[in-house]
Amino acid sequence: MKKLTTVLLGASLLISGIASASVTTFEKANNDLSTELCMAIAKGKTKDLRSIMHDRRLNKSRVTKKLYCNELPAVEFSETFGKNKTKMKRFLENS
């Protein structure tokens, strides 16, 4: 019984360690436009991204081609670190 408890406890610690290691959080470092756009992409909020682009009169294709977040193109950043990856990728790639 002690062996089973030890094995289950070890497995649960291993799984929780793996799960917490894969979570990436981003903090807004400044108030730059690029930071606002990248934060919206990281959060997976297409509505916020669309609103920022509309308010600043930005063309989506220009943002997609020129915006880099953490040294990655916007679409690749979204695929790697963003939430709602499929929805954000679809939004960014459809001009």
Side-chain angles (χ1 to χ4, degrees), residues 54-93:
H54 176 75
D55 292 346
R56 301 289 183 103
R57 297 181 181 161
L58 296 172
N59 184 317
K60 185 172 30 172
S61 64
R62 185 170 184 196
V63 168
T64 304
K65 291 176 185 174
K66 303 232 178 203
L67 179 66
Y68 279 75
C69 304
N70 287 3
E71 300 178 6
L72 294 172
V75 174
E76 190 176 333
F77 176 77
S78 170
E79 291 173 340
T80 306
F81 298 109
K83 295 178 181 172
N84 298 326
K85 297 174 188 198
T86 306
K87 186 177 179 181
M88 184 59 72
K89 181 178 179 183
R90 195 177 316 132
F91 173 76
L92 290 171
E93 289 182 339

Side-chain angles (χ1 to χ4, degrees), residues 2-24:
K2 285 184 179 180
K3 235 182 202 181
L4 178 62
T5 304
T6 305
V7 170
L8 290 176
L9 180 61
S12 67
L13 288 173
L14 177 65
I15 291 170
S16 67
I18 291 170
S20 66
S22 65
V23 174
T24 305

